[in-house]
Amino acid sequence: MLQSFGLRHLCMVTLVSLALRGETSPHLAAVERIRINNNRSASGTLTGGVLTVHLDAREGEWFPEGDSTGGIVVRAFGADGGPLQVPGPLLRVAKGTEIHAFVHNSIRGERLVLHGLNTRGSQDGANDTVSVGSGEEREIRFTASEVGTFYYWAASNTARAIAARVSMDTELSGAFVVDPAVGPPPADRIFLVSFWTRSGTVDTTTTVIRVAVNGKVWPHTERLAYTVGDTARIRVINAGGGAHPMHLHGFYYRVDSRGNEQASADLSRDPAPYMVNTERLTTGLTMSMTWVPTRPGNWLFHCHDPVHVARNLRLDGLPFPARTTHEHDMEEMGGPVLGVTVAPVRGGARIASEPAARRRLRIVASADTGATVAEPSYSYVLDDGRKFLPHSHRAGPTLVLQRGEPVSITVVNRLTQPTSVHWHGIELDAYYDGVPGFSGHPGHLTPQIAPGDSFVARFTPPRSGTFMYHPHISEIEQQRAGLDGALLVVDAPAAWDSTTDLAFVLTTPRLEAEQNLAVYINGTGTPAERELRSGRTYRVRLMNLHNFRPGLITKIMRGSEVLSWRWLAKDGLDVPASRATMRPASQQMGNGETYDFEFVAPDAGALHLDVTSGLGVLLASMPLRVR
């Protein structure tokens, strides 16, 4: 009887353990461990211009956090008799190579539909997908016809879109890169972002999710290492659900290509390079990028959707330890985040020298009267004690700095928890970048700002443009509570005119009940009417600091008519003259992106600035009156 009880107890514990891993296995057989694939080595055998590869889909256990909190049972691909891999095996060939693939489906009782193993640009619809029954193998032949960054994926249901896959299938994706026919392949890195959720929702307070990059989540992701002056080449594939605005701290990068599963547009030959510090990749999109680090230190490259990079619930169901004053972003973040270390050139300075004379500012982060633990309300206050807007508007002060003028900004923390400030988009020394416990230099890392303490950030903004500032610790809580603001760099602050220079910061409502229904414009859900003058030229600055809406669309309209504006800048960097053209006054933005436009007010009448979701649902509106 005791033996019987012990056996039943063991079976129950095993089933519970499997359930906590993400999916309950239909039987109690041992589950294969999935290997993390860093996308450095291509699979298959290349002979005489033909790549032969054997792919097998089966179930295994994936450990995106190493062995720290358990694994997740998912379906994945293995290649050529090797172990399962997440992401799937890398296929990389030169243009013109013939691919000879054998795809076997070892998933019990499920038919597999495979996408992406076909000639790009083919008019033959039969090549778009391949169906493989359980226990069957299919042979596929096609030619790598276009240079670019692509991917392949599979689903065991009838999903025609990659984002519609069930949780067990979300890791059935792999990179497929086609290099030019002539010359060696470029020395680059390939990163595939995947999205797994237990229940199909993204409520991080109740649902376990994992947004991984090359099979891991921060702080377990790979660390990249460069030296000042190196040329870093990176490919990013969004093979999961949700949009990912990919943000590089401290630098701009050049977008060399953009594409999807079937096509890739080469932008590298454009005489006017497309430079950004944040680029939005919707589900199924790819990009390749190049950047040259000019300053040493530790930097981040990550998705800027705070929900995607927040520390999520543990896989084993246990609670996290209580927050302490020693926490920093090594523990506070998760998701698709890559740490980058840039070493100085031999004999070069590790830390940039700082001018002695500089402008000095002081901002205080404090809790507002009536704030509670359940519904915190915070504010940034300038050193003169005046808020930029009334409390009900909860907008941080707009900091206006002068291009080329050194500045010291003292951040005082009067909250009951640690905080930090990231100067989003500013090119500065790594120590002042604002990621506690990571930014900075070996032996000289950025500290968190403990309650009652302060931190002085020093930098010299090298260009005029539209930037932002926000915490880089407990981001969702602190930003939602009111800690964020616009940072404008101008040529001559004395000549800056807020009546013609219009800044619109899009943020998250403080009350949880409003978060899925509305967007705040400059800190309020009911913005007051703005008055414009007919024929006058305005600079419109748009900034998306919302917590979890990476696809907001902002429009200026007269009734149902979308008006026009001229594109001026992206992420604080002026666009080339060839792109500074008139276009409809409608712009979609990811979290962390900024856009500047020139708008000439039309004849007198009523206008409105609307903010909608990507599907067109109205989330906020500001009346504009032209006189």
Side-chain angles (χ1 to χ4, degrees):
M1 184 171 182
L2 287 175
Q3 290 179 337
S4 176
F5 172 81
L7 180 60
R8 288 198 306 270
H9 180 69
L10 176 61
C11 291
M12 183 178 297
V13 169
T14 303
L15 285 169
V16 170
S17 176
L18 286 169
L20 287 174
R21 290 169 182 171
E23 301 290 342
T24 301
S25 178
H27 50 83
L28 295 179
V31 181
E32 175 183 354
R33 186 186 181 104
I34 297 174
R35 181 175 68 83
I36 297 298
N37 176 17
N38 61 16
N39 274 325
R40 288 181 179 269
S41 301
S43 294
T45 302
L46 183 64
T47 304
V50 177
L51 179 77
T52 302
V53 62
H54 295 259
L55 298 176
D56 186 26
R58 53 189 188 270
E59 288 187 7
E61 191 169 15
W62 169 45
F63 291 81
E65 299 161 355
D67 296 323
S68 58
T69 59
I72 306 168
V73 177
V74 296
R75 293 158 182 159
F77 284 113
D80 304 320
L84 293 176
Q85 301 177 37
V86 169
L90 168 63
L91 303 182
R92 185 164 196 170
V93 297
K95 180 181 178 180
T97 302
E98 181 182 342
I99 312 297
H100 191 188
F102 297 86
V103 181
H104 188 271
N105 178 11
S106 295
I107 300 171
R108 182 177 300 182
E110 297 278 2
R111 177 168 292 276
L112 199 68
V113 179
L114 184 68
H115 304 248
L117 291 186
N118 57 272
T119 299
R120 267 58 189 173
S122 170
Q123 300 302 311
D124 184 0
N127 287 335
D128 290 344
T129 63
V130 176
S131 179
V132 187
S134 178
E136 295 179 355
E137 182 174 274
R138 291 289 303 273
E139 180 180 352
I140 306 169
R141 286 181 179 268
F142 67 97
T143 300
S145 57
E146 293 189 21
V147 172
T149 304
F150 310 103
Y151 57 93
Y152 62 93
W153 62 280
S156 60
N157 57 5
T158 57
R160 296 292 300 177
I162 195 168
R165 293 184 293 181
V166 298
S167 60
M168 283 284 285
D169 292 343
T170 54
E171 306 312 311
L172 283 167
S173 306
F176 177 33
V177 174
V178 181
D179 294 311
V182 179
D188 55 20
R189 293 303 320 279
I190 303 165
F191 293 100
L192 185 145
V193 181
S194 61
F195 190 110
W196 174 89
T197 174
R198 178 173 293 165
S199 66
T201 67
V202 293
D203 181 355
T204 57
T205 62
T206 60
T207 303
V208 180
I209 70 169
R210 289 298 181 269
V211 189
V213 54
N214 278 2
K216 292 186 177 182
V217 299
W218 178 269
H220 308 277
T221 52
E222 184 177 349
R223 298 291 187 269
L224 305 182
Y226 301 103
T227 299
V228 168
D230 284 352
T231 298
R233 295 181 173 88
I234 294 173
R235 301 175 190 258
V236 183
I237 299 169
N238 181 1
H244 300 301
M246 300 305 297
H247 174 53
L248 177 63
H249 283 217
F251 300 92
Y252 289 92
Y253 60 89
R254 185 182 72 196
V255 179
D256 294 322
S257 73
R258 285 185 63 92
N260 55 32
E261 176 189 330
Q262 292 295 326
S264 183
D266 183 4
L267 308 178
S268 63
R269 301 182 187 278
D270 193 321
Y274 179 42
M275 305 293 294
V276 300
N277 61 50
T278 309
E279 181 71 358
R280 179 176 176 268
L281 284 185
T282 59
T283 299
L285 291 192
T286 71
M287 75 170 178
S288 62
M289 54 178 276
T290 302
W291 68 289
V292 178
T294 56
R295 281 160 283 118
N298 295 340
W299 309 94
L300 289 183
F301 179 54
H302 66 98
C303 169
H304 204 274
D305 186 326
V307 169
H308 293 171
V309 298
R311 182 178 69 172
N312 187 238
L313 303 173
R314 287 172 56 117
L315 292 173
D316 55 15
L318 298 176
F320 285 109
R323 174 184 284 146
T324 71
T325 58
H326 303 293
E327 294 221 39
H328 50 70
D329 264 14
M330 297 298 285
E331 288 83 24
E332 283 280 305
M333 290 197 305
V337 181
L338 295 171
V340 183
T341 296
V342 178
V345 295
R346 183 170 303 211
R350 188 189 71 173
I351 301 175
S353 60
E354 300 175 1
R358 58 181 62 244
R359 180 186 175 194
R360 301 184 184 279
L361 296 174
R362 184 171 180 266
I363 60 174
V364 180
S366 59
D368 295 312
T369 303
T372 66
V373 174
E375 291 186 357
S377 180
Y378 304 148
S379 295
Y380 285 128
V381 182
L382 288 173
D383 63 353
D384 59 5
R386 293 178 297 174
K387 296 178 184 176
F388 184 69
L389 292 174
H391 161 59
S392 60
H393 286 187
R394 293 179 49 259
T398 296
L399 304 182
V400 182
L401 308 182
Q402 181 173 330
R403 176 177 59 87
E405 180 184 41
V407 62
S408 292
I409 304 177
T410 300
V411 183
V412 180
N413 181 12
R414 291 183 180 161
L415 305 175
T416 59
Q417 61 176 282
T419 191
S420 73
V421 175
H422 169 55
W423 310 100
H424 184 103
I426 296 292
E427 299 152 278
L428 74 180
D429 183 86
Y431 181 68
Y432 304 114
D433 192 46
V435 183
F438 184 79
S439 292
H441 308 269
H444 187 61
L445 300 181
T446 304
Q448 62 179 0
I449 309 175
D453 206 347
S454 64
F455 178 79
V456 180
R458 300 183 179 93
F459 55 89
T460 303
R463 69 186 74 248
S464 294
T466 301
F467 307 96
M468 302 176 287
Y469 63 100
H470 62 82
H472 219 293
I473 186 171
S474 303
E475 289 181 62
I476 292 179
E477 175 186 346
Q478 294 189 10
Q479 284 187 232
R480 187 177 70 198
L483 294 186
D484 43 42
L487 192 162
L488 312 184
V489 182
V490 299
D491 290 342
W496 178 73
D497 185 356
S498 62
T499 64
T500 58
D501 196 311
L502 310 179
F504 300 103
V505 184
L506 309 182
T507 56
T508 313
R510 177 173 63 87
L511 299 178
E512 189 169 350
E514 298 178 346
Q515 287 169 26
N516 290 317
L517 304 176
V519 169
Y520 279 0
I521 301 176
N522 291 346
T524 177
T526 55
E529 181 178 87
R530 291 291 289 266
E531 184 175 293
L532 309 180
R533 293 292 178 180
S534 178
R536 184 169 293 181
T537 299
Y538 295 85
R539 187 180 190 104
V540 176
R541 304 177 188 259
L542 304 178
M543 292 158 267
N544 184 356
L545 275 172
H546 201 280
N547 271 181
F548 53 86
R549 283 197 177 274
L552 294 175
I553 299 174
T554 304
K555 307 176 183 180
I556 296 182
M557 308 180 70
R558 186 205 306 267
S560 60
E561 175 193 7
V562 178
L563 301 183
S564 297
W565 55 22
R566 186 167 69 90
W567 190 16
L568 298 179
K570 166 81 165 73
D571 296 339
L573 187 67
D574 291 347
V575 300
S578 60
R579 294 194 179 95
T581 55
M582 295 298 294
R583 58 180 60 199
S586 175
Q587 182 61 54
Q588 187 166 36
M589 294 189 298
N591 320 77
E593 289 188 297
T594 74
Y595 282 87
D596 289 35
F597 298 95
E598 180 183 85
F599 177 72
V600 179
D603 295 339
L607 308 180
H608 47 104
L609 182 142
D610 287 352
V611 180
T612 73
S613 71
L615 298 177
V617 177
L618 183 64
L619 301 170
S621 185
M622 171 183 281
L624 305 173
R625 174 66 60 179
V626 182
R627 300 190 184 279

